[in-house]
Amino acid sequence: MTTIECQNLGNQQRSPQTILPNLGLVCITISQQVRFKTITRTRYLKLSLKERESTLRQLYQHNLQRLHDALTFCEQHQIRLYRMTSNLFPMNDLEDKIGENLLEQMADELGKIGQRAVALGIRMVLHPDQFVVLSSDSPEVVQTSINILARHAQDLDLLGLPRSPWSLMNIHGGKSQRAEKLIQVISQLPEAIKSRLTLENDEYAYSASEILAVCQQAEIPLVFDAHHHICHENLDSYNEPSVATMFEAARETWKNPDWQLVHISNGETAFKDRKHSDFIDAMPDIYHQAPWIEVEAKRKEEAIAHLRSWWLMGQ
C-alpha cells in the first residue's frame, strides 16, 4: 500500500460534519469465527525436521485462513481497525529457518491478504509480546527483542503492508529508568522496524510523560493508553486534565494526526483495576477526537457494539 493510499484511508470519516472514531478489534472474536492455532516451543523442538515443516505448514495455512476470516468479520461489522495476534506465525524466528522459509513460500497468499485489507479499507496493526524489551541491561535480551521485531517486520512486508505507522508495531518501554538506552537502541534499528515502531505508556515503568519524551527524541509516535495513565497517576476520572493533555501531546508525535491510535480499557472490579473488564462503560471525553481506538475488553466485538451504542451514538 502506498503512503497516498494510507492517507486516503486515514482521512475517511474525518470530514468536519462527521468525525467518528474507528473502534478496533483486538486479535480474536468472542465467538469462534476468528481463532488461531499455535504450538509451544517445547513441543516443536521435540519434532523431527520433517515433522516441524509439515506441522508449521498446516498451522500457518490455518492461521492465514483465519486472518481472511478476521477481515471478513471486520467487513461485516464495519470495523476498520484490526490488531493481529503477535503469535500468528509461531516459531518463525528460530535458527532452523523452517518457519521463515515457509512464509517466503507463502508470499503470494500473504500478499493477497494485504491487498484485501486495502480493498476493504481495514487498517492492520500489531502488538509484539512482552518479551520485546529494547531497554534491557542484557545485550542478549535486546538482540532477541530486535530479532523478534525483525521477523514481525518481515511478516508485514510479506503482507504488503507499508513501512509506516499506518501498519504499526506497538511496544512498551520495558525496563524502567532506561530512557537513554531505549532511545539509543531505537535510533539504530533497521528501517523496516523503526518506520513502523510506536511506544505506549504503561502502569508501572513508564508514565505517559516519560514515554512521550522518549518518543519525541526517538522521533516515533506515542500510542496513548488512558487506562494505563489513570492507573500510573492514581487518577479518579478519565476526564482529569492530564488525560486530555497527554492525548494532545501524543497527537503531536504523529506526523499524520489522522493516523493517531489510542487504547482504551476499563478496570474489571474497580476504576483503577489493572485487569480488563468485559465491556467499556467509561470513556475519556477527549477520545471523541481520536481517529483510531483499540478496544481492549474481554468481550471483544460485543464490547465494540456496546461502546458504539452508548458512546458513539451519543456524539
Side-chain angles (χ1 to χ4, degrees), residues 49-291:
L49 292 179
K50 185 176 181 180
E51 289 171 330
R52 291 180 188 181
E53 181 174 356
S54 62
T55 298
L56 285 190
R57 184 183 298 276
Q58 184 179 18
L59 190 155
Y60 288 2
Q61 287 175 337
H62 175 274
N63 285 356
L64 282 174
Q65 183 55 54
R66 295 292 81 74
L67 199 52
H68 270 299
D69 292 344
L71 291 178
T72 298
F73 184 90
C74 288
E75 178 190 18
Q76 292 172 343
H77 293 81
Q78 283 118 24
I79 295 171
R80 295 185 56 240
L81 172 64
Y82 176 63
R83 183 205 289 182
M84 293 176 282
T85 173
S86 63
N87 207 27
L88 190 62
F89 304 117
M91 310 299 140
N92 72 340
D93 59 343
L94 298 185
E95 292 182 359
D96 63 17
K97 301 288 185 181
I98 292 174
E100 182 178 345
N101 292 336
L102 282 172
L103 289 176
E104 292 288 349
Q105 295 170 26
M106 297 177 178
D108 287 345
E109 297 172 67
L110 283 157
K112 289 177 182 176
I113 292 176
Q115 292 167 12
R116 187 168 176 232
V118 172
L120 294 174
I122 296 172
R123 182 181 185 183
M124 301 175 76
V125 299
L126 190 64
H127 196 326
D129 62 35
Q130 70 271 19
F131 300 111
V132 175
V133 183
L134 296 181
S135 56
S136 174
D137 291 330
S138 166
E140 291 78 14
V141 170
V142 172
Q143 188 56 55
T144 297
S145 299
I146 294 172
N147 292 345
I148 292 172
L149 291 175
R151 279 310 312 163
H152 284 317
Q154 179 64 18
D155 295 344
L156 295 175
D157 282 346
L158 289 170
L159 285 164
L161 300 176
R163 291 184 174 184
S164 76
W166 174 263
S167 303
L168 62 82
M169 297 190 294
N170 183 56
I171 63 173
H172 291 284
K175 191 166 184 179
S176 63
Q177 300 180 340
R178 296 292 186 277
E180 290 185 8
K181 170 75 171 180
L182 186 55
I183 294 166
Q184 177 190 7
V185 172
I186 291 173
S187 70
Q188 298 171 354
L189 289 173
E191 186 266 344
I193 299 174
K194 187 179 178 184
S195 61
R196 296 179 170 116
L197 195 67
T198 61
L199 291 177
E200 177 185 352
N201 58 300
D202 62 75
E203 305 105 313
Y204 304 105
Y206 288 92
S207 68
S209 59
E210 288 170 333
I211 210 69
L212 171 66
V214 173
C215 288
Q216 289 170 333
Q217 293 182 64
E219 297 184 329
I220 61 173
L222 166 60
V223 172
F224 177 63
D225 187 307
H227 195 69
H228 289 335
H229 179 67
I230 63 101
C231 289
H232 188 282
E233 303 299 325
N234 194 30
L235 303 177
D236 294 320
S237 168
Y238 287 129
N239 290 325
E240 292 278 356
S242 66
V243 175
T245 298
M246 291 312 309
F247 169 87
E248 290 164 353
R251 172 166 287 184
E252 294 299 317
T253 65
W254 292 80
K255 292 181 180 179
N256 184 343
D258 286 331
W259 292 2
Q260 183 187 16
L261 185 145
V262 299
H263 289 179
I264 189 61
S265 57
N266 284 174
E268 183 178 48
T269 59
F271 182 66
K272 287 175 277 194
D273 186 355
R274 289 169 169 83
K275 295 181 181 179
H276 291 176
S277 60
D278 287 344
F279 296 96
I280 303 297
D281 291 308
M283 287 286 283
D285 287 346
I286 193 67
Y287 270 21
H288 286 301
Q289 299 180 27

